[in-house]
Amino acid sequence: FAPRADKILFAATKADHLHHASHDRLDALLRLLVARSLRRTEAAGAHVSTQALASVRSTRETVVHDGPQAFRAVAGTPEAGESIDGETFDGETEAAIFPGELPERPEAVLEGAVTPGSLRFPRFRPPAVARDALGRPGRLPQIRLDRALNFLIGDRLA
């Protein structure tokens, strides 16, 4: 008897630090980085998947305008001490941040197309949890955590 994993999920966490338009690119980059392990795991008979997710969504999406240009950004409350472009955050003030763009081709990351400092990923505070009318805490927002759990254990719950 040897225990065996029949499903493996490779996850790129903190997807909330990128606009959803970049989530496919994040997933493609993850697939590139784990390609060898993915092939070996599939050859061993396990079902394998990748997913860009956030177990707690700490940001919301917005658009930042700089003159005629519009940038897809994320807004949230950076943790105290986080800094971007010389601005240090106090942990209380919300900010809209353009995190940068992942390249369309994931291989471009390994080829040096992403210059150091062109991507910005400060740590964000989790959102405040609102209470319902009965005083019970609400749910924390997430990104694709439900899909990840469904892939891993969904068939066991049916």
Side-chain angles (χ1 to χ4, degrees):
F1 174 77
R4 181 177 168 282
D6 60 342
K7 293 181 183 179
I8 306 248
L9 177 71
F10 292 97
T13 61
K14 305 277 188 186
D16 60 322
H17 287 54
L18 289 170
H19 191 276
H20 80 272
S22 292
H23 289 181
D24 288 344
R25 293 177 181 186
L26 179 60
D27 187 61
L29 178 59
L30 175 62
R31 279 191 167 279
L32 175 67
L33 295 174
V34 301
R36 185 173 163 214
S37 296
L38 202 132
R39 285 190 305 271
R40 287 187 5 219
T41 305
E42 285 176 331
H47 296 283
V48 183
S49 184
T50 59
Q51 190 74 245
L53 59 85
S55 57
V56 174
R57 182 180 193 143
S58 298
T59 64
R60 67 181 192 290
E61 295 176 351
T62 189
V63 175
V64 174
H65 297 276
D66 184 16
Q69 292 184 325
F71 297 95
R72 295 176 182 156
V74 293
T77 305
E79 288 189 7
E82 289 292 306
S83 64
I84 293 180
D85 295 334
E87 181 180 357
T88 302
F89 298 98
D90 61 8
E92 301 295 324
T93 306
E94 187 173 89
I97 297 166
F98 173 64
E101 294 278 340
L102 292 175
E104 288 184 38
R105 285 185 332 101
E107 297 82 9
V109 172
L110 302 179
E111 296 164 358
V114 178
T115 58
S118 64
L119 297 174
R120 299 177 182 109
F121 302 117
R123 293 174 297 151
F124 287 94
R125 292 182 50 196
V129 178
R131 296 196 172 268
D132 68 11
L134 298 175
R136 298 176 296 203
R139 296 181 180 156
L140 286 169
Q142 47 82 17
I143 298 174
R144 293 185 204 88
L145 186 60
D146 52 343
R147 291 185 198 174
L149 289 171
N150 188 50
F151 171 77
L152 292 170
I153 63 172
D155 59 335
R156 306 226 191 268
L157 301 176

